[in-house]
Amino acid sequence: MTITQLRYVLAVAEHQNFTKAAEKTFVTQPTLSMQIQKLEDELNILIFDRSKKPIELTEVGKKLVHQARNIVNESERIQDIVDQEKGFIGGEFKLGVIPTVMPTLLPMFLNNFIKKYPKVKLKIEELHTEAIMERLLDGHLDAAIAATPLENDNIKERVLYYEPFVGYIPSGHRLSPKTKIDATDLDIDDMLLLEDGHCFRDGIINLCKTQRSYNEDHFQLESGSFETLVKLSNEGLGMTLLPYLHTLDISEKEKKNLHFFNEPSPAREVSLIFNKSELKMQIIEALHATIAGVVKGAITFQNVQIISPIAKIKSD
């Protein structure tokens, strides 16, 4: 049994196809198939049910894959130890970022990070929180930037910053005369929300639920971007809430529609999250230091109330 054979097994388990797995592991399909067959012969078991389309794991194969992932992770830790001892910060690093953070945070730190750590090959993917959690636990991401706390014992979180919510309230809205607003002023029935799947949407709903009941069946305008929400709001279709960093890029004309909250301002906690196995920690530490250092100058709010990004189960 070799680490290479286990890597091949994990690739086939992920892609459910020998040809795709071979492409991803940079070997020929016959080589990959032969090595997996050797492992099956050595263990005297069938790892995959090749009669199924797509290929499926057998029951014993599922158990083997779980253990194989642990073994491969631990083997990678050896390289981590060597890299840390040498002070080397480099190699491929797969980073997931939630959509409501990607457009504002990346331009703030990415160029600085690349210049400071040119040997790190960043692969960045925009993903919703649920997909990020799955990929972190499966080992398909090294780390991610997401709203926290996520309340998962298998994922570690290191806070990067606290980002206040800001009201975008057009002229003529019932709250437009107010200089500052309170959470008690909010009414979910006249708010524009992001589409389902965004944790920022869940945070707003959680904030509103603390003030009054929320009718999930009520008609609601939704969108996949803050830019569209602002445009809809400008048309008089309701107010919305924006993360603070998004307010820095809107036009001067639109900034007059921004209304901050009285303290403590509702806010989201944004963290660098990673698997409890703590692989590639030298790169994680470098990312954390770079991002936290850049954002520190942009967000100066101190007195905030962290709103959970997790959708709450509806009670009867």
Side-chain angles (χ1 to χ4, degrees), residues 17-28:
N17 182 283
F18 279 82
T19 302
K20 288 182 180 178
E23 291 173 357
K24 294 295 181 180
T25 52
F26 306 104
V27 295
T28 64

Side-chain angles (χ1 to χ4, degrees), residues 68-82:
R69 188 169 288 118
N70 292 334
I71 293 169
V72 170
N73 282 343
E74 288 303 313
S75 72
E76 291 176 350
R77 191 185 298 279
I78 294 174
Q79 186 62 53
D80 266 2
I81 292 170
V82 174

Side-chain angles (χ1 to χ4, degrees), residues 153-169:
D153 293 337
N154 294 311
I155 290 178
K156 294 199 170 186
E157 305 171 357
R158 289 199 60 190
V159 176
L160 291 166
Y161 57 92
Y162 301 107
E163 184 175 23
F165 296 178
V166 181
Y168 187 87
I169 305 172

Side-chain angles (χ1 to χ4, degrees), residues 89 106-122 286-287 290 294:
I89 301 178
L106 249 62
M108 294 178 68
F109 83 88
L110 190 55
N111 198 36
N112 286 345
F113 183 83
I114 291 172
K115 287 181 178 179
K116 192 171 183 180
Y117 303 102
K119 294 181 180 179
V120 177
K121 184 181 179 183
L122 272 180
L287 266 174
T290 302
V294 169

